[in-house]
């Protein structure tokens, strides 16, 4: 059965049960979106978010699948369309970060990041390019480390530089469709993806690196996404750095 949001707009958020993804889901729901909360492996977490949204009067469903699997993601797009009548916004927060100096990187880790971060972004961007309604937005995720070039991030940055390339070219390929395509590049943000594996001294140092002298919060990034998903119709083919002035 189709359901309707208060704005009639619908978003699919990959990685929607994660740190930034969950904040994005909650922020878009505040703006009246119906949201499909995508998960890769933790269905219970996604269902809990959906239940919380429903309890507050919002509209949401959970959809699963490997972002790099085109059949699984096509099914996620179809489930979202069946539930809400169409899709206006695709937010691709799904990603993995495995850190190591380039000289000692386990190449299996390079392959894992390539599959999720590059192929996954390509798969969902391709599906969105063929399925989003006019007036829609595709929002991918890069990283500020493409500018700061922190040691240990070589393979991760390589994957995110590819995301930027996909994003900027797709924006131009969708000429005449009234669909914007942009990437958000967060700075150090207090999520498990960022915090895991870092000692307190490293976290403290990074929290002071930006002029605002704090780590970003998932809600800070979600505000940028909400801008691109809603009023920012003249922002297209851009990488937006949400990093407190770090770079």
């Amino acid at each position: 059965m189709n359901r309707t949001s208060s704005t009639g707009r619908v978003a699919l958020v990959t990685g929607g049960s994660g740190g930034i993804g969950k904040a994005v889901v909650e922020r878009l729901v505040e703006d009246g979106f119906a949201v499909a909360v995508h998960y890769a492996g933790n269905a219970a977490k996604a269902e809990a978010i959906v239940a919380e949204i429903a309890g507050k009067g919002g509209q949401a469903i959970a959809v699963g699948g490997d972002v790099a699997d085109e059949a699984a993601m096509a099914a996620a797009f179809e489930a979202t369309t069946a539930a809400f009548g169409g899709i206006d916004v695709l937010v691709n927060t799904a990603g993995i970060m495995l850190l190591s100096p380039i000289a000692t990187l386990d190449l299996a880790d390079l392959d894992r990041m390539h599959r999720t971060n590059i192929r996954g972004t390509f798969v969902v961007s391709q599906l969105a390019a063929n399925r989003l309604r006019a007036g829609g937005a595709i929002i991918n995720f890069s990283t500020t480390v493409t500018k700061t070039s922190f040691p240990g991030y070589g393979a991760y940055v390589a994957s995110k530089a590819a995301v930027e390339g996909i994003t900027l070219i797709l924006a131009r390929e969708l000429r005449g469709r009234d669909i914007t395509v942009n990437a958000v590049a967060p700075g150090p943000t207090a999520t498990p993806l960022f915090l895991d594996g870092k000692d307190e001294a490293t976290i403290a140092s990074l929290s002071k690196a930006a002029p605002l002298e704090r780590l970003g919060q998932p809600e800070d990034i979600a505000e940028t996404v909400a801008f691109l998903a809603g009023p920012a119709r003249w922002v297209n083919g851009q990488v937006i750095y949400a990093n407190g002035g770090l770079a």
Side-chain angles (χ1 to χ4, degrees):
M1 179 178 67
N2 287 355
R3 310 166 206 177
T4 57
S5 72
S6 62
T7 62
R9 286 174 67 77
V10 178
L12 168 58
V13 181
T14 72
S17 61
I20 289 176
K22 181 174 183 289
V24 167
V25 165
E26 292 171 343
R27 182 64 179 80
L28 293 180
V29 169
E30 285 182 16
D31 282 351
F33 278 78
V35 179
V37 182
H38 164 269
Y39 63 90
N42 195 335
K45 190 173 181 182
E47 292 288 1
I49 295 169
V50 168
E52 182 179 347
I53 291 168
K56 296 177 181 178
Q59 298 288 342
I61 61 169
V63 295
D66 175 1
V67 289
D69 182 332
E70 63 272 30
M73 292 313 298
F77 273 76
E78 288 162 8
T80 305
T81 299
F84 301 123
I87 305 175
D88 302 285
V89 174
L90 179 282
V91 186
N92 184 37
T93 75
I96 58 174
M97 181 172 66
L98 304 168
L99 304 182
S100 168
I102 292 170
T104 56
L105 177 73
D106 184 335
L107 293 180
D109 288 346
L110 177 65
D111 291 341
R112 285 179 61 198
M113 283 188 284
H114 184 286
R115 177 174 173 78
T116 298
N117 297 354
I118 301 178
R119 180 184 168 90
T121 296
F122 199 100
V123 165
V124 297
S125 294
Q126 184 179 71
L127 287 164
N130 285 295
R131 297 176 184 238
L132 260 57
R133 296 184 286 209
I138 297 170
I139 303 163
N140 289 320
F141 265 70
S142 182
T143 173
T144 288
V145 191
T146 57
K147 281 191 170 186
T148 58
S149 303
F150 292 147
Y153 285 76
Y156 178 68
V157 164
S159 73
K160 290 303 188 178
V163 168
E164 292 188 8
I166 292 166
T167 300
L168 302 189
I169 289 172
L170 182 57
R172 287 147 183 87
E173 290 180 345
L174 293 182
R175 172 181 292 273
R177 292 277 308 282
D178 191 22
I179 295 172
T180 62
V181 191
N182 295 287
V184 176
T189 305
T191 66
L193 181 70
F194 170 78
L195 296 172
D196 285 353
K198 294 183 174 67
D199 58 35
E200 290 298 325
T202 299
I203 293 169
S205 175
L206 287 169
S207 70
K208 296 295 184 182
L212 294 181
E213 294 193 336
R214 66 173 177 85
L215 292 178
Q217 295 300 315
E219 294 76 14
D220 295 318
I221 312 306
E223 287 292 339
T224 303
V225 172
F227 175 63
L228 294 173
R233 299 307 304 164
W234 197 234
V235 179
N236 189 30
Q238 304 298 318
V239 179
I240 307 299
Y241 291 88
N243 60 25
L246 179 62

